[in-house]
Amino acid sequence: MWVKEFLDYLQSERNYSARTVEEYGDDLRGFESFFKSLDARLTWDAVDSDIIRDWMESMMDKGNTATSVNRRLSAVRSFYRFLLSRGLVTSDPSHTVKGPKKEKPLPQFVRERDIEALLDEQMWNMERYEDVRARTLILTLYETGVRISELLGLDDEAVDMDACQMKVTGKRDKERIIPFGEELKCALAGYMKLRDASVARHSPAMFLSRKGGRMNYSQARREVMRQLSRVCALKKRSPHVLRHTFATAMLNNGAGLESVKKLLGHSRLTTTEIYTHTTYEQLKKVYESAHPRA
């Protein structure tokens, strides 16, 4: 009776769609079925917060996602607010119940063999400015882990070719020094030589558009997405995927978490720790495919 009254209220007074009202009804009847299975004499006004927590736990045990459980909990909360406003119950047992935390999706990254294939010079026209710029852009993102905004903000004078390091400005205008290897040094030198011969410079920026101005985010993002699509089928192929790829490769090859944190410019170690889950998942896949008893 109360559930029907609530659903009528949602439809007639709150103008909820028929589908939404149906979903609320399914969620509430699901919870009612659960607490009735515990004790057939239980009613909505006799339910306590422990029963709601047990219900949530049972849903998680059945494989429901945190998002799904939170949606159903939201329906129960809305129902109890309605019952309170009508004086049908004296307390709301859902008020103190916290929903499960949503799992953060693991960062996507390009497999090492795919990124190595993409960076092979035979994949590019090394006499064409746009090709050399795109390859150098991708190599820099992959080898340094810098954000695309940091890279596009980079000027020639911030790159010390002799010391193989660059100074980038990150979030909240924090500067950090990023080392790089001989391969990137050669790539940058070759790119700058071709750039200066091909483009009339109107900016001190490292990466220039064909018109000579600083390359913008839309241009860089479009180029990276186009090039990554040549070697991988990831749903996300943004420049940030190369930052994830850098961090994952570093940890997979023995780098310490604190070192990776400093290179990425993270303010908290917990932000960097997400990559340990990525490397663990990769390790688990290797184990399952290689171990005879897995």
Side-chain angles (χ1 to χ4, degrees):
M1 180 75 73
W2 288 354
V3 171
K4 184 180 184 306
E5 187 178 340
F6 173 63
L7 298 179
D8 290 342
Y9 159 78
L10 293 181
Q11 191 164 25
S12 60
E13 297 188 37
R14 298 295 301 276
N15 295 318
Y16 281 21
S17 69
R19 182 176 178 180
T20 301
V21 172
E22 183 180 354
E23 288 175 349
Y24 268 84
D26 289 342
D27 293 340
L28 294 174
R29 283 186 286 269
F31 177 51
E32 186 173 29
S33 176
F34 173 80
F35 69 70
K36 289 288 187 183
S37 70
L38 300 178
D39 186 339
R41 296 168 297 176
L42 275 175
T43 56
W44 285 96
D45 54 338
V47 167
D48 60 25
S49 57
D50 286 338
I51 291 175
I52 297 177
R53 292 189 185 96
D54 288 343
W55 172 57
M56 290 165 52
E57 186 176 334
S58 73
M59 287 190 288
M60 296 295 287
D61 288 343
K62 292 176 181 176
N64 287 277
T65 64
T67 299
S68 176
V69 173
N70 278 315
R71 191 204 76 224
R72 293 169 184 171
L73 176 60
S74 177
V76 171
R77 284 173 174 161
S78 297
F79 183 48
Y80 271 109
R81 284 196 296 269
F82 169 81
L83 296 179
L84 273 174
S85 69
R86 296 295 195 273
L88 297 173
V89 296
T90 57
S91 62
D92 174 7
S94 69
H95 178 68
T96 58
V97 177
K98 292 183 179 180
K101 291 183 178 180
K102 294 181 182 179
E103 294 181 0
K104 292 183 178 179
L106 293 178
Q108 295 190 38
F109 63 94
V110 184
R111 293 179 300 181
E112 287 188 42
R113 67 171 181 264
D114 290 336
I115 197 73
E116 292 299 333
L118 179 60
L119 292 172
D120 187 334
E121 289 190 358
Q122 294 183 3
M123 294 279 284
W124 308 85
N125 179 352
M126 297 303 290
E127 295 181 357
R128 183 172 179 268
Y129 173 65
E130 284 80 3
D131 270 34
V132 174
R133 182 188 63 187
R135 181 183 181 277
T136 307
L137 187 79
I138 289 170
L139 178 61
T140 308
L141 290 168
Y142 173 56
E143 193 162 318
T144 65
V146 297
R147 301 177 179 92
I148 186 62
S149 59
E150 295 170 342
L151 187 57
L152 296 178
L154 192 69
D155 292 342
D156 280 8
E157 64 178 16
V159 180
D160 187 334
M161 298 293 278
D162 293 329
C164 284
Q165 61 186 35
M166 61 179 65
K167 182 189 291 184
V168 299
T169 303
K171 293 182 177 180
R172 294 179 291 278
D173 293 327
K174 288 185 177 180
E175 292 185 341
R176 67 185 190 282
I177 304 295
I178 307 293
F180 56 85
E182 285 294 324
E183 182 183 5
L184 181 54
K185 177 182 178 179
C186 292
L188 287 170
Y191 159 72
M192 288 190 285
K193 182 178 179 180
L194 182 60
R195 178 199 65 190
D196 294 345
S198 307
V199 176
R201 298 192 68 179
H202 303 299
S203 167
M206 171 66 70
F207 289 96
L208 298 179
S209 68
R210 178 51 95 166
K211 294 181 178 179
R214 189 182 297 275
M215 192 179 190
N216 63 44
Y217 174 76
S218 295
Q219 292 170 330
R221 185 176 188 276
R222 185 165 55 248
E223 191 62 64
V224 170
M225 290 180 68
R226 187 167 71 88
Q227 300 302 337
L228 287 181
S229 67
R230 298 167 69 189
V231 295
C232 70
L234 293 175
K235 290 183 178 180
K236 291 184 178 180
R237 297 188 297 275
S238 67
H240 211 69
V241 168
L242 291 170
R243 182 167 159 88
H244 297 327
T245 303
F246 162 83
T248 304
M250 290 288 288
L251 290 169
N252 279 340
N253 288 281
L257 197 61
E258 184 64 36
S259 299
V260 176
K261 168 184 174 290
K262 290 179 179 178
L263 289 169
L264 291 173
H266 286 161
S267 57
R268 296 180 300 174
L269 193 62
T270 52
T271 308
T272 317
E273 284 175 343
I274 184 66
Y275 296 107
T276 63
H277 299 299
T278 304
T279 54
Y280 172 74
E281 288 300 317
Q282 188 180 48
L283 187 65
K284 189 167 70 172
K285 288 179 182 178
V286 171
Y287 167 77
E288 290 173 349
S289 64
H291 198 285
R293 301 290 293 270

